[in-house]
């Protein structure tokens, strides 16, 4: 595996290879990333993975500092998966050039995580746009766990006529329904147990909404239940219609329940 630290070196490889399958990450690689990489491999064997912990998408310095980093382990995982290229730039390499595209912030960026993490999606779109301008991949692979991020990147790509196709990948979960996430490393065994109880409680609520044919979906009693389980803070629990991105009110809409809450100061998000 070639480890590339500067875009001028990457450029030489890009000029030769031309079609890449690109998997952007912030490191802290886990089984969910492995699935993205395996999917990418099926499309095209020239896999380029990036590892860059983007400070612009963290709305607190403390969160940025405590974000899980384990470069050695990441490299081992990527080598095992036979990834050919790893780009791990520094801040200057990414942010010191003038971009061609303008960041497009769709109104959905103001909802859910956008409401609770000011500047987060602007930071995500800024870095992803820069990576796309540098790499110009044929495909980019992104997970549905970050549905809001995925949707906003889709909107930005469409608006700017970027030639990259997005391949969205299903969320990978452990046997207790806990989604794989880099942040899980900061959870101990009992935190993980609580997190999986919470996600299962939300899952059951969705089943109930459908079974009871609810006409006015409301999560106030679910929120109380989750706080009673021991969750210290809930940012949101909301039903979102996946077709029009608005709040889903009725059981028969095509919706997912989106949630963000804190366990042991670790912010967990999911949707299903
Ligand atoms: O999902 C992530 O890991 C990040 O938001 C991404 C897409 C790599 C941009 O920094």
């Amino acid at each position: 595996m070639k480890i590339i630290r500067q875009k001028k070196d990457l450029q030489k490889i890009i000029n030769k290879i031309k079609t890449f399958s690109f998997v952007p990450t912030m490191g802290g690689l886990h089984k969910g990333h492995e699935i993205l990489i395996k999917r990418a491999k099926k499309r095209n064997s020239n896999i380029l993975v990036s590892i860059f912990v983007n400070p612009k998408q963290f709305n607190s310095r403390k969160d940025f500092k405590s974000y899980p980093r384990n470069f050695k382990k990441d490299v081992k995982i990527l080598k095992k998966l036979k990834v050919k290229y790893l780009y791990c730039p520094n801040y200057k390499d990414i942010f010191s050039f003038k971009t061609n595209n303008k960041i497009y912030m769709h109104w959905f960026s103001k909802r859910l995580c956008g409401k609770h993490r000011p500047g987060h999606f602007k930071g995500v779109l800024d870095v992803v746009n820069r990576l796309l301008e540098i790499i110009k991949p044929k495909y980019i692979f992104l997970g549905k766990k970050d549905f809001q991020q995925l949707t906003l990147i889709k909107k930005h790509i469409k608006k700017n006529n970027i030639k990259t196709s997005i391949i969205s990948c299903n969320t990978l979960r452990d046997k207790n329904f806990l989604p794989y996430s880099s942040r899980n490393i900061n959870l101990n065994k009992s935190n993980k147990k609580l997190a999986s109880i919470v996600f299962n409680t939300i899952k059951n609520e969705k089943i109930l909404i459908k079974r009871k044919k609810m006409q006015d979906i409301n999560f106030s009693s679910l929120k109380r239940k989750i706080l009673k389980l021991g969750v210290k803070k809930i940012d949101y629990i909301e039903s979102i219609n996946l077709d029009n991105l608005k709040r889903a009110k009725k059981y028969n809409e095509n919706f997912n329940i989106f949630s963000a809450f804190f366990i042991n100061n670790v912010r967990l998000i999911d949707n299903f």
Side-chain angles (χ1 to χ4, degrees):
M1 183 171 72
K2 274 207 171 77
I3 300 179
I4 306 134
R5 298 199 178 265
Q6 292 190 8
K7 63 176 176 300
K8 69 172 176 24
D9 297 326
L10 184 61
Q11 213 63 58
K12 287 180 201 151
I13 295 169
I14 291 169
N15 290 343
K16 258 197 263 157
I17 307 283
K18 293 202 169 66
T19 58
F20 283 99
S21 280
F22 174 45
V23 184
T25 83
M26 297 204 297
L29 301 181
H30 51 72
K31 287 204 170 107
H33 291 114
E34 290 187 28
I35 291 287
L36 293 184
I37 292 167
K38 283 179 185 160
R39 279 273 316 261
K41 263 180 127 171
K42 279 196 184 148
R43 292 255 165 184
N44 183 335
S45 63
N46 293 317
I47 314 289
L48 178 83
V49 173
S50 65
I51 295 182
F52 177 62
V53 187
N54 170 28
K56 292 203 181 194
Q57 70 186 76
F58 288 84
N59 44 336
S60 111
R61 184 92 197 133
K62 202 169 144 219
D63 192 24
F64 172 65
K65 285 217 154 151
S66 67
Y67 194 81
R69 292 164 172 85
N70 195 339
F71 189 66
K72 264 194 184 157
K73 189 174 160 218
D74 290 347
V75 166
K76 221 168 143 184
I77 292 172
L78 296 173
K79 279 187 176 164
K80 207 180 87 198
L81 290 167
K82 301 205 163 44
V83 165
K84 286 191 186 161
Y85 306 101
L86 169 62
Y87 177 42
C88 25
N90 62 17
Y91 184 91
K92 209 173 140 229
D93 209 45
I94 288 287
F95 288 113
S96 66
F97 70 99
K98 198 172 163 340
T99 60
N100 295 321
N101 302 319
K102 222 177 124 200
I103 300 302
Y104 174 62
M105 297 286 281
H106 184 267
W107 60 261
F108 190 46
S109 65
K110 296 195 180 70
R111 305 286 311 277
L112 308 172
C113 286
K115 222 188 216 163
H116 294 270
R117 301 185 68 188
H120 168 67
F121 287 121
K122 193 160 181 261
V124 169
L125 289 172
D126 190 0
V127 79
V128 170
N129 178 65
R130 285 168 182 277
L131 287 164
L132 292 178
E133 287 198 19
I134 296 169
I135 300 161
K136 298 184 185 66
K138 192 163 164 60
Y139 304 105
I140 180 170
F141 291 77
L142 294 161
K144 286 186 191 166
K145 187 171 92 67
D146 299 309
F147 177 89
Q148 203 178 3
Q149 163 175 289
L150 169 69
T151 304
L152 295 172
I153 294 173
K154 263 188 200 164
K155 302 278 180 198
H156 170 77
I157 284 186
K158 191 155 182 236
K159 190 82 176 174
N160 281 284
N161 258 319
I162 298 171
K163 299 281 176 286
T164 302
S165 307
I166 295 196
I167 314 285
S168 44
C169 302
N170 288 338
T171 305
L172 188 73
R173 300 170 188 283
D174 71 8
K175 61 180 192 313
N176 301 316
F177 198 62
L178 186 67
Y180 285 98
S181 161
S182 305
R183 292 180 187 269
N184 290 0
I185 206 155
N186 292 330
L187 298 174
N188 64 27
K189 215 171 157 193
S190 78
N191 298 152
K192 277 190 183 159
K193 193 166 170 212
L194 176 57
S196 90
I197 291 172
V198 173
F199 286 131
N200 277 291
T201 306
I202 298 173
K203 188 169 112 188
N204 290 338
E205 185 73 14
K206 187 171 179 185
I207 295 168
L208 209 71
I209 289 169
K210 300 261 180 201
R211 195 185 297 146
K212 287 195 170 171
K213 299 195 168 162
M214 284 186 194
Q215 299 292 326
D216 190 10
I217 300 171
N218 181 311
F219 293 122
S220 38
S221 73
L222 176 69
K223 283 183 191 164
R224 278 198 298 275
K225 205 175 187 178
I226 288 170
L227 292 171
K228 263 198 195 146
L229 286 170
V231 168
K232 290 280 176 303
K233 189 180 162 214
I234 299 171
D235 268 356
Y236 59 79
I237 297 182
E238 275 189 52
S239 48
I240 296 289
N241 181 313
L242 301 179
D243 303 320
N244 63 22
L245 305 174
K246 295 189 178 146
R247 185 170 86 82
K249 294 183 186 128
K250 291 188 180 177
Y251 76 99
N252 55 357
E253 292 182 49
N254 173 26
F255 74 91
N256 271 4
I257 302 180
F258 286 69
S259 59
F261 55 88
F262 289 83
I263 289 180
N264 192 25
N265 288 323
V266 180
R267 189 173 187 275
L268 300 173
I269 65 166
D270 203 351
N271 74 94
F272 41 78

